[in-house]
Amino acid sequence: LPRRTALARGAAGEGHEAQVLAANIDRLWVVQALDRAPNLRSLERYLAVAWESGAAPEVILTKSDLAEDLEAMLGSVRDVALGVPIHSVSIQDEEAIRQLRDSLARGETIALVGPSGVGKSTLINHLAEQDLTETGGVRAGDRKGRHTTTTRQLYPIHGGALLLDTPGMREFKVLDLDQGLEHTFPEIDGLSAACRFRDCSHTAEPGCAVVDAAEHGRLDPGRLASYRKLRAEAEYERRKRDPVAQAEYVAEWKTAMRTLKYHPKHRDRKS
Ligand SMILES: Nc1nc2c(ncn2[C@@H]2O[C@H](COP(=O)(O)OP(=O)(O)OP(=O)(O)O)[C@@H](O)[C@H]2O)c(=O)[nH]1
Ligand SMILES: [Zn+2]
């Protein structure tokens, strides 16, 4: 089977070697818990990497029973997970679990990603209506990662769906972002059509419509900061892999430094 999606994450201690975390994923569940305010910046990172992998992400908000202000939390997530289905569930809420279970289709493979402790294993157990992840007795497959000690486990759910747990995954490393950024920040992508430069990075360019929108309350500055951070990370990773891009970057800096040196404002500086 050709690989449908490639979910890459940085292998700790192995430089920037990409590794395929999961192949043939149909749905990617980005899991966060509502026992505290959701980390929106972390959510955006997961979503960007998910989109980039080719999987269509969904947000699963667990522990809704512990949410202090459920509506406000849902609203804040909706604002950053644009165009992404959002499900809020709790092990106390059988109806929500049932709805999520009903959304599973035969033959589907679903990967769960998210920080440790958000309730991924618990959710899988409740969807399966039995203790799969604790006992391990009903596992369909038990696959060990080839380049890592992280174990990935596939759990069959009645009706024929497979859930893929990814314990030990702390944070996705951004290896490359292109489509992923556009999908995660559609409002920035839309605004950028009006930037003066086609390849505007929305940082310091003149005529940047994105910066203008952020300065005039038409774009959440937190979103722009998050976008820039992810884009810078992706560019850094790309340069590490690509010697030509690396050389171009160094040359750009050298030119910039020379310009600075000869700029009248700096010419007479002693330092
Ligand atoms: N109140 C409440 N607690 C929950 C809920 N779901 C999970 N928990 C608790 O949250 C804790 C962590 O759950 P896990 O399922 O182990 O979390 P995990 O995401 O699988 O964590 P890792 O295996 O470390 O990646 C456990 O003590 C669960 O009982 C929920 O809906 N409500
Ligand atoms: Zn711009």
Side-chain angles (χ1 to χ4, degrees):
L1 272 177
R3 202 184 288 137
R4 264 176 284 166
T5 58
L7 211 55
R9 71 168 174 127
E14 291 177 34
H16 43 260
E17 199 176 290
Q19 61 178 203
V20 175
L21 175 68
N24 298 316
I25 300 295
D26 296 296
R27 297 165 72 181
L28 194 120
W29 287 359
V30 176
V31 187
Q32 290 245 341
L34 293 173
D35 55 344
R36 67 195 69 179
N39 185 336
L40 303 178
R41 305 289 87 100
S42 158
L43 198 56
E44 285 163 338
R45 162 186 294 266
Y46 276 111
L47 290 174
V49 177
W51 282 119
E52 191 69 31
S53 78
E58 293 165 58
V59 175
I60 309 289
L61 300 169
T62 57
K63 311 191 191 184
S64 65
D65 55 303
L66 299 178
E68 252 170 42
D69 187 345
L70 183 60
E71 274 316 306
M73 284 176 174
L74 286 177
S76 70
V77 170
R78 266 187 223 113
D79 285 345
V80 302
L82 300 166
V84 176
I86 299 166
H87 314 267
S88 87
V89 296
S90 149
I91 50 175
Q92 321 263 0
D93 185 350
E94 277 173 31
E95 177 58 19
I97 297 281
R98 194 184 58 75
Q99 279 182 16
L100 201 53
R101 191 186 297 123
D102 285 349
S103 80
L104 303 172
R106 176 173 294 278
E108 244 180 10
T109 305
I110 296 152
L112 285 80
V113 295
S116 183
V118 293
K120 298 184 294 296
S121 315
T122 307
L123 179 61
I124 290 175
N125 283 332
H126 278 76
L127 288 172
E129 292 174 301
Q130 50 191 307
D131 226 6
L132 294 175
T133 64
E134 304 265 331
T135 66
V138 203
R139 277 179 203 159
D142 196 356
R143 309 192 307 181
K144 288 229 159 67
R146 278 163 64 183
H147 307 291
T148 165
T149 51
T150 305
T151 311
R152 280 106 60 183
Q153 287 151 342
L154 274 170
Y155 300 99
I157 302 298
H158 81 123
L162 283 172
L163 295 190
L164 177 70
D165 199 2
T166 56
M169 287 269 314
R170 293 170 60 80
E171 187 97 89
F172 273 153
K173 191 167 181 181
V174 169
L175 291 173
D176 201 1
L177 283 180
D178 183 27
Q179 297 290 313
L181 274 180
E182 286 169 26
H183 272 109
T184 309
F185 301 94
E187 79 276 44
I188 292 179
D189 191 46
L191 285 164
S192 71
C195 289
R196 187 176 304 163
F197 300 107
R198 247 188 98 83
D199 61 347
C200 186
S201 69
H202 321 309
T203 49
E205 290 90 342
C208 175
V210 175
V211 169
D212 185 68
E215 280 170 358
H216 294 91
R218 284 177 285 115
L219 171 68
D220 174 3
R223 292 275 287 169
L224 179 54
S226 182
Y227 171 93
R228 283 174 175 163
K229 189 163 180 282
L230 289 171
R231 184 166 166 167
E233 262 181 69
E235 265 155 27
Y236 174 74
E237 291 296 331
R238 207 176 295 152
R239 270 199 305 280
K240 278 207 302 198
R241 284 194 304 274
D242 178 359
V244 177
Q246 176 86 50
E248 272 172 14
Y249 178 73
V250 171
E252 238 171 68
W253 264 103
K254 281 188 177 159
T255 311
M257 296 315 282
R258 257 200 305 274
T259 320
L260 193 67
K261 218 169 6 187
Y262 296 127
H263 194 281
K265 210 169 137 196
H266 298 277
R267 198 183 287 151
D268 300 326
R269 275 218 185 143
K270 292 249 158 64
S271 62

